[in-house]
Amino acid sequence: MEANHNVYQNNSHVFSTEDARRLAGKRLPRLVYDFIEGAAGREVGVARNETAFDDIMLQPRVMENVSDRALSTSILGREFSVPFGVAPMGMCNLVCPNADKFLADAANKFDFPLCLSSAASSSMEDMAGWAGTRAWFQLYFGTSIEATLAMVDRALNAGFETLVLTVDVPQVSRRVRDLRNGLNLPFSMTSRAFWDFATHPKWSLATLSAGVPSPKNFMDSDGISKFRREADRGGANWEFFKILRKKWPGKLIVKGVTSAEDAHRLQGLGADAIYVSNHGGRQLDSVPPAIWLLPLIRAAVGPDFPLLFDSGVRNGEDVVKALALGADFVMLGRPALLALGAEGPNGLNALLKCFADDISVVLAQLGLNSTNGIRPNVIFNKTGATSHAA
Ligand SMILES: Cc1cc2nc3c(=O)[nH]c(=O)nc-3n(C[C@H](O)[C@H](O)[C@H](O)COP(=O)(O)O)c2cc1C
């Protein structure tokens, strides 16, 4: 995507992730807002993901010719127009009807990859139809190896070329907000939820008239959804990875890796890319900030091995920081859903444009013309000056 210099135009009330969060907090039922924002334990880990980004500073450079700036970035042999995509998130249609379709439309408009979750409320066939090969399929281990491999076959038949195996959910964590709100997936109504929905009539009417969202991909051979949110997904182990690697002919990405040792082992076993993520603090409260782990994993896998990153990215500056610290591509999680919750597709497109515009402006500040020029030396280093020649 060429730099868009009209960086101030926006027909939405969403100018930042913080705006999206505030508006979504007003417009969504508590149960849905908490499903997006909630995390494991005391939710310190999710906060740390964000503050760790705030503690990283960038070193401006001046007097370079930065009038032409390009955001196009390649990952796994394919060029996209922006260096970010959207992370897999289950049950997006709880946020607003057609949320997955709106995400697909945005993926086509901005030209970025979009991961459809195994736990999505849209089918993989629908998503493949909407976003073609921009759509990647995210795999959770299901009720058995057979059921999981059947889902893989289904993804292949639907035309997916890129599979993302999530490995950081051996057991779904206790998320206090969801427990308190009585959130069950597949969804079932509780008296608390009834009151919550009654006080958000606009959301409730829209959601009810579109049909209560349900998981569309965890089917067994009888065609009935076997999705249980609390199910054990520990079958995504080293043995399973070897089976999957043999079976999947396309690109295979492993998501949820936070240890340099695990990353190195996966690289040796034939993963095409590692997706560094701590699941946005949703799995382990005491997990280190994902952005701290990224340079350690980059060091373990070497300079050329593809790395994706998410967890705590809230604006374009964060995207640039992640690219500088070793990521080849950056994925957005909560911000996308909050923007949809705030203003539907209008809010989503506005926030994505904010990300793209921010990145372009930051490139100018750093004296760079493209995302390819982003190196570790753009990170401010208290101990000494950096050189642009690096
Ligand atoms: C509502 C919600 C649902 C999610 N569902 C999934 C999922 O089904 N599969 C998965 O691999 N990750 C899932 N994630 C994790 C995201 O892919 C991503 O790792 C996380 O949101 C990054 O943290 P951040 O949103 O705070 O930046 C989910 C995250 C959220 C917020």
Side-chain angles (χ1 to χ4, degrees):
M1 176 179 273
E2 289 306 312
N4 180 347
H5 300 289
N6 186 7
V7 294
Y8 303 112
Q9 191 194 343
N10 185 347
N11 65 351
S12 142
H13 295 97
V14 174
F15 292 90
S16 66
T17 296
E18 290 69 31
D19 287 345
R21 182 179 275 147
R22 185 174 41 78
L23 291 170
K26 283 190 199 155
R27 292 175 186 172
L28 293 176
R30 189 85 230 164
L31 176 144
V32 177
Y33 178 78
D34 281 349
F35 168 60
I36 302 170
E37 282 287 84
R42 290 164 53 233
E43 304 188 352
V44 176
V46 57
R48 272 200 199 112
N49 277 343
E50 294 188 10
T51 53
F53 269 106
D54 295 339
D55 290 343
I56 297 167
M57 284 160 272
L58 297 169
Q59 175 61 64
R61 298 297 297 260
V62 296
M63 301 174 75
E64 303 287 347
N65 181 355
V66 290
S67 50
D68 286 327
R69 302 182 302 281
L71 302 192
S72 50
T73 305
S74 295
I75 182 77
L76 294 168
R78 175 161 178 179
E79 185 175 87
F80 294 96
S81 297
V82 288
F84 57 83
V86 172
M89 288 178 284
M91 298 299 292
C92 295
N93 292 347
L94 270 178
V95 177
C96 63
N98 303 315
D100 289 314
K101 170 75 165 65
F102 297 145
L103 289 167
D105 292 344
N108 292 330
K109 176 178 151 100
F110 288 83
D111 181 27
F112 62 66
L114 164 67
C115 292
L116 182 79
S117 164
S118 293
S121 39
S122 299
S123 75
M124 54 178 114
E125 291 79 9
D126 280 347
M127 180 53 84
W130 296 330
T133 53
R134 287 195 183 98
W136 299 351
F137 184 66
Q138 177 266 322
L139 183 70
Y140 270 138
F141 193 88
T143 46
S144 64
I145 290 207
E146 294 70 35
T148 309
L149 294 180
M151 192 151 54
V152 172
D153 280 332
R154 205 178 135 193
L156 261 181
N157 289 337
F160 285 88
E161 293 178 355
T162 306
L163 190 67
V164 179
L165 174 68
T166 296
V167 292
D168 59 357
V169 189
Q171 190 72 58
V172 176
S173 75
R174 282 181 70 249
R175 296 184 196 144
V176 173
R177 296 197 208 198
D178 293 346
L179 293 171
R180 207 181 278 139
N181 294 332
L183 175 70
N184 299 308
L185 293 175
F187 186 73
S188 64
M189 187 68 90
T190 61
S191 52
R192 199 186 294 249
F194 184 80
W195 177 249
D196 194 9
F197 295 168
T199 51
H200 292 87
K202 207 168 156 194
W203 177 93
S204 302
L205 284 175
T207 303
L208 284 181
S209 54
V212 176
S214 63
K216 292 286 193 304
N217 296 303
F218 263 105
M219 304 294 178
D220 257 10
S221 46
D222 50 11
I224 296 170
S225 170
K226 293 293 188 302
F227 179 76
R228 280 188 309 114
R229 189 184 187 204
E230 67 284 6
D232 170 357
R233 310 200 195 293
N237 57 27
W238 294 102
E239 280 317 301
F240 177 72
F241 179 76
K242 289 181 198 160
I243 295 169
L244 185 64
R245 178 65 287 186
K246 276 206 192 108
K247 184 175 175 68
W248 183 257
K251 301 291 185 194
L252 180 54
I253 302 173
V254 184
K255 174 174 186 277
V257 179
T258 55
S259 137
E261 216 173 303
D262 288 342
H264 189 248
R265 188 168 171 193
L266 282 162
Q267 183 184 21
L269 289 175
D272 291 302
I274 304 279
Y275 186 150
V276 179
S277 163
N278 64 20
H279 219 105
R282 291 165 82 82
Q283 281 301 105
L284 181 68
D285 202 20
S286 301
V287 73
I291 193 66
W292 287 10
L293 301 167
L294 180 58
L296 307 179
I297 293 180
R298 171 51 75 203
V301 298
D304 301 322
F305 189 74
L307 288 184
L308 295 103
F309 175 85
D310 76 23
S311 297
V313 177
R314 300 293 177 259
N315 57 40
E317 292 199 16
D318 292 346
V319 173
V320 172
K321 290 173 188 177
L323 294 174
L325 289 168
D328 295 299
F329 217 82
V330 179
M331 306 299 271
L332 314 180
R334 290 182 176 94
L337 288 189
L338 293 172
L340 278 168
E343 274 182 355
N346 193 39
L348 176 67
N349 287 320
L351 187 64
L352 293 169
K353 184 169 183 306
C354 294
F355 269 83
D357 290 345
D358 267 1
I359 295 167
S360 176
V361 170
V362 174
L363 285 179
Q365 286 297 313
L366 300 179
L368 299 173
N369 300 96
S370 75
T371 54
N372 294 331
I374 299 172
R375 302 266 180 279
N377 63 7
V378 305
I379 304 288
F380 173 71
N381 177 355
K382 262 198 291 201
T383 58
T386 52
S387 150
H388 247 206

